[in-house]
Structures are given as structure tokens and as C-alpha cells.
């Protein structure tokens, strides 16, 4: 009898806790559409539990909000439109997030661990006087998070005791929410006090490519110093064309000027986790592995049988890349 009663109390208490828990996701978008990392952040928020709202701040950001409203499990989409959010600067968005937080008292604020989230969340956390928890790769409970440290060489499980948890999540660690089955209501939030002359957005030049985006591509072909020159990267572009793949690079290849630095994969580059990662002429330094070792299948082509990349590779080919890559490309239809 006693144990039945205590079980009932425990379940009532946890339901009550769930109700008290509420998460605000900061949507990353370009007004016209969502950046996929927002869908990963949504999955992470669902793992935390409780009510979930999403803040979509921008200029004419209706289409991005509409895409989100299709997701199931959302309580509300908060829309904030102002010219102040042109360029999505951390300086203009922080006052908005703080005032939204004051209004709704969220227990968790989440964004993707992208350049956007990395610029924004530390500022928000400082204003709220709490510690941000960055680059989360797993959620154990509403206050206990898993993150990788030392360039991915150790996994840390940590408990955050701050009353408001500010979390950036690694996109590749959470499935993208399918954005279907829901019809969340929208609400406009005030944007007073967001305009700032501290930082003025002047413009941006985005690199254009017909290839899939590196961080969301299903297949990535990456080249390293072994390619020897930028011209030789053509071998990888030809292979990537056959596989509908994105092209990446090691830092050594970027530093040598073979390819632009937005192709860099690794600790100080992009984190990728495609279905297939083909590393060509890359030795497998820990800083490179930090950016790709969660890939589902890793193929390495290297002429040195002792190269560390073979320790993480599912399939390894000890060969001269200048022979092996054209041969591989020619065999693919
Ligand atoms: C703080 C810090 C951050 C860093 N961040 C990053 C990062 O984000 N990303 C990153 O990649 N690195 C990063 N690095 C650099 C990293 O330590 C390595 O120096 C770099 O990854 C090496 O690149 P690589 O494998 O292309 O070159 P190398 O280590 O020189 O390897 C070249 C490989 O090519 C092979 N090869 C040569 N010729 C051929 C051929 N004909 N056929 C087949 N194989 C061939 C060789 O056997 C060799 O294994 C960082 C370093 C530091 C200190």
C-alpha cells in the first residue's frame, strides 16, 4: 500500500516537474528557410522534455516560422521582426532573448553549436549570470549533459546546477526533426531595445556552390596534404560529382592554400558526420578526427600503412591516391 502510494506521488511529482520545465530554442535561419541545425536542436529539446517554444527573430522571417510550425510537440512559435536583426548579430539578439526569458521564465535555452550559436549563447549566459554548456552531444536528463572535450579525445558527463541551462548542441549528434504532424500557434514578441549601434551589420559574402553543403552532406570526400596541390583537388571533385558528395579538406591542405578554409574539417573547422566519409591523403591527426570520426562509414586512401587514419577507418586502401582515386572514379557510373 505504502509503495503504491509513494509510486503515485513520485509520478505526480515528475509530471509536475515536466510542466515546470520549459525550453526556448533559438531558431537559426535566413528568413526564407531554416538552417537544418534548428531541426537537430528541436530533437535535443524533446529529449529534455517539458514545453518547447521556438524564437524566430529576423526581418520578414514568416517563411522560416511557417516551416517550424509544422513540427509536432511545440507549444509556441515566438516571432520577432525588426531591422535590428539584419545580419542576426549576437548584440541585437541578446536583449531580445533576455526580455523573452523575463516574460516566460524558461528553464532551458538551446541553440545549435554553429557559428551563430557559438557567438550568441555565451553572451546570453553572461547576461543571465549562468554558465553555458557548449557543444552537447547527449542528454541524460534535464540537468545532465554529455559533451566532448579535449578535441573529442574524452567524453564528459556533467551536471549543470544553474537555474537556467544555456545549451549549444552539436547538430551531428541529434537526428533532424522531420517538421511534421504539428500546428503550433504563433505569437509576436516585442523587439524594443534590440537596435544597437554597438555592432552594425554591413554585409556578407557567402560562398556559392552547386555541391551539397559540407555539414549536411550524406557523402563527404576530403583531401589532405597528400594531394600536393590545389589543382590536384580536381581528382576529388570528379569523384565527388559521381557520388553527389561535398568536398572537405584537412587543415594542412587549407593552410597550404590548396582549397579555401570553409572546406576545413576538424577541431578548428567543421564537424561532419555523413553516412560516408572518404579521407584521401590525410594522415588522421586527432584534430582532424575530432571533426569526422562520428561518420557512419569511413574510407581512407593513404600510401602509408601506418597512417593513424586507418585506426578509425572501416575500409582502408593502402595505395597511391593519384592511381587509386581516378580508378575509383572511373568505376562509378
Ligand atoms: C590547435 C590545432 C587545431 C587544429 N585543427 C585542425 C583541424 O580542424 N583540421 C585538421 O585537419 N587539422 C587540424 N590541425 C592540424 C593537424 O594537427 C594536422 O597537422 C593536419 O590534420 C594534417 O593534415 P594532413 O593529414 O592533410 O597532412 P599530413 O599529416 O602531412 O598527412 C598527409 C598524408 O598524406 C599521405 N600521402 C602523401 N602522398 C600520398 C599519395 N600519393 N597517396 C596516398 N597518400 C599520400 C601521407 O602518407 C600522409 O599520411 C590542428 C592543429 C592544431 C595544433
Amino acid at each position: 500500500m505504502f509503495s503504491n502510494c509513494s509510486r503515485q506521488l513520485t509520478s505526480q511529482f515528475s509530471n509536475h516537474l515536466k510542466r515546470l520545465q520549459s525550453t526556448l530554442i533559438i531558431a537559426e535561419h535566413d528568413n526564407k528557410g531554416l538552417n537544418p541545425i534548428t531541426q537537430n536542436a528541436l530533437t535535443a529539446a524533446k529529449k529534455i522534455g517539458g514545453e518547447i517554444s521556438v524564437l524566430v527573430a529576423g526581418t520578414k522571417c514568416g517563411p522560416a516560422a511557417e516551416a517550424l510550425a509544422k513540427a509536432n510537440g511545440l507549444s509556441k512559435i515566438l516571432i520577432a521582426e525588426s531591422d535590428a536583426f539584419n545580419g542576426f548579430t549576437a548584440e541585437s539578439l541578446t536583449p531580445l532573448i533576455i526580455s523573452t526569458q523575463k516574460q516566460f521564465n524558461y528553464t532551458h535555452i538551446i541553440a545549435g553549436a554553429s557559428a551563430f550559436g557559438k557567438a550568441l549563447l555565451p553572451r546570453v549566459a553572461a547576461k543571465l549570470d549562468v554558465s553555458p554548456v557548449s557543444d552537447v552531444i547527449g542528454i541524460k536528463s534535464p540537468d545532465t549533459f554529455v559533451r566532448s572535450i579535449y578535441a573529442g579525445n574524452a567524453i564528459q558527463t556533467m551536471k549543470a546546477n544553474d537555474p537556467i541551462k544555456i545549451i549549444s548542441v552539436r547538430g551531428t549528434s541529434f537526428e533532424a526533426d522531420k517538421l511534421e504532424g504539428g500546428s503550433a500557434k504563433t505569437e509576436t514578441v516585442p523587439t524594443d531595445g534590440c537596435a544597437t549601434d554597438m555592432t552594425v551589420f554591413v554585409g556578407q559574402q557567402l560562398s556559392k556552390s552547386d555541391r551539397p553543403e559540407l555539414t549536411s552532406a550524406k557523402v563527404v570526400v576530403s583531401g589532405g596534404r597528400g594531394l600536393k596541390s590545389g589543382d590536384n583537388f580536381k581528382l576529388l571533385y570528379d569523384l565527388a560529382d559521381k557520388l553527389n558528395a561535398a568536398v572537405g579538406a584537412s587543415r594542412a591542405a587549407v593552410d597550404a592554400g590548396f582549397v579555401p578554409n570553409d572546406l576545413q574539417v576538424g577541431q578548428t573547422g567543421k564537424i561532419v558526420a555523413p553516412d560516408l566519409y572518404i579521407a584521401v591523403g590525410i594522415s588522421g591527426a586527432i584534430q582532424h578526427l575530432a571533426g569526422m570520426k562520428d561518420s557512419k562509414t569511413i574510407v581512407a586512401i593513404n600510401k602509408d600503412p601506418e597512417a593513424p587514419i586507418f585506426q578509425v577507418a572501416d575500409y582502408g586502401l593502402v595505395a597511391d591516391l593519384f592511381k587509386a582515386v581516378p580508378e575509383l572514379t572511373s568505376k562509378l557510373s
Side-chain angles (χ1 to χ4, degrees), residues 16-307:
H16 182 60
L17 266 186
K18 264 190 200 155
R19 270 204 303 279
L20 288 180
Q21 224 162 258
S22 57
T23 297
L24 178 67
I25 300 172
I26 315 298
E28 185 171 341
H29 62 92
D30 65 358
N31 292 311
K32 294 184 217 101
L34 286 178
N35 183 318
I37 202 163
T38 305
Q39 290 162 254
N40 307 113
L42 192 45
T43 302
K46 286 181 181 175
K47 283 196 184 270
I48 290 171
E51 287 197 348
I52 305 171
S53 299
V54 186
L55 177 63
V56 185
T59 50
K60 301 193 184 112
C61 54
E66 270 167 39
L68 261 170
K70 293 188 198 129
N72 74 0
L74 289 187
S75 311
K76 249 188 261 178
I77 313 271
L78 304 172
I79 302 179
E81 289 200 333
S82 160
D83 286 345
F85 306 133
N86 200 8
F88 308 103
T89 62
E91 289 81 354
S92 62
L93 289 170
T94 301
L96 173 71
I97 296 168
I98 302 297
S99 63
T100 310
Q101 170 62 22
K102 274 200 187 128
Q103 193 181 345
F104 297 104
N105 275 317
Y106 297 104
T107 52
H108 296 73
I109 299 179
I110 298 190
S114 57
F116 170 80
K118 284 177 187 169
L120 181 62
L121 291 191
R123 197 178 187 91
V124 172
K127 290 279 183 194
L128 293 171
D129 198 19
V130 298
S131 302
V133 185
S134 59
D135 214 7
V136 165
I137 58 170
I139 288 162
K140 294 258 183 209
S141 76
D143 62 4
T144 307
F145 309 103
V146 184
R147 46 194 300 267
S148 78
I149 53 170
Y150 301 125
N153 279 299
I155 304 290
Q156 177 188 60
T157 300
M158 52 94 61
K159 187 171 177 196
N161 289 326
D162 280 316
I164 308 165
K165 278 66 166 166
I166 309 282
I167 304 157
S168 68
V169 295
R170 186 181 288 189
T172 53
S173 300
F174 298 91
E175 288 289 320
D177 188 276
K178 291 199 167 58
L179 301 183
E180 55 190 31
S183 54
K185 52 182 188 237
T186 57
E187 186 175 321
T188 306
V189 286
T191 60
D192 318 328
C194 293
T196 167
D197 52 11
M198 211 174 351
T199 303
V200 178
F201 176 73
V202 178
Q204 63 184 359
Q205 284 176 325
L206 298 174
S207 51
K208 289 194 185 110
S209 169
D210 295 335
R211 292 176 194 287
E213 210 272 312
L214 187 53
T215 52
S216 53
K218 297 232 175 304
V219 182
V220 173
V221 179
S222 275
R225 191 165 10 219
L227 266 292
K228 298 197 168 52
S229 76
D231 289 345
N232 289 337
F233 259 74
K234 178 163 185 325
L235 294 175
L236 301 194
Y237 285 115
D238 290 345
L239 176 59
D241 284 344
K242 291 271 178 87
L243 295 167
N244 190 28
V247 171
S250 71
R251 175 157 155 187
V254 168
D255 287 352
F258 299 171
V259 285
N261 64 2
D262 58 336
L263 263 54
Q264 185 177 318
V265 172
Q267 181 189 343
T268 44
K270 291 183 174 154
I271 310 267
V272 301
D275 292 341
L276 174 62
Y277 187 87
I278 306 180
V280 181
I282 292 179
S283 59
I286 50 164
Q287 296 90 352
H288 187 79
L289 301 186
M292 46 62 76
K293 71 173 166 22
D294 290 335
S295 305
K296 293 204 176 77
T297 302
I298 299 173
V299 173
I301 302 175
N302 198 303
K303 68 177 183 185
D304 174 8
E306 302 297 322

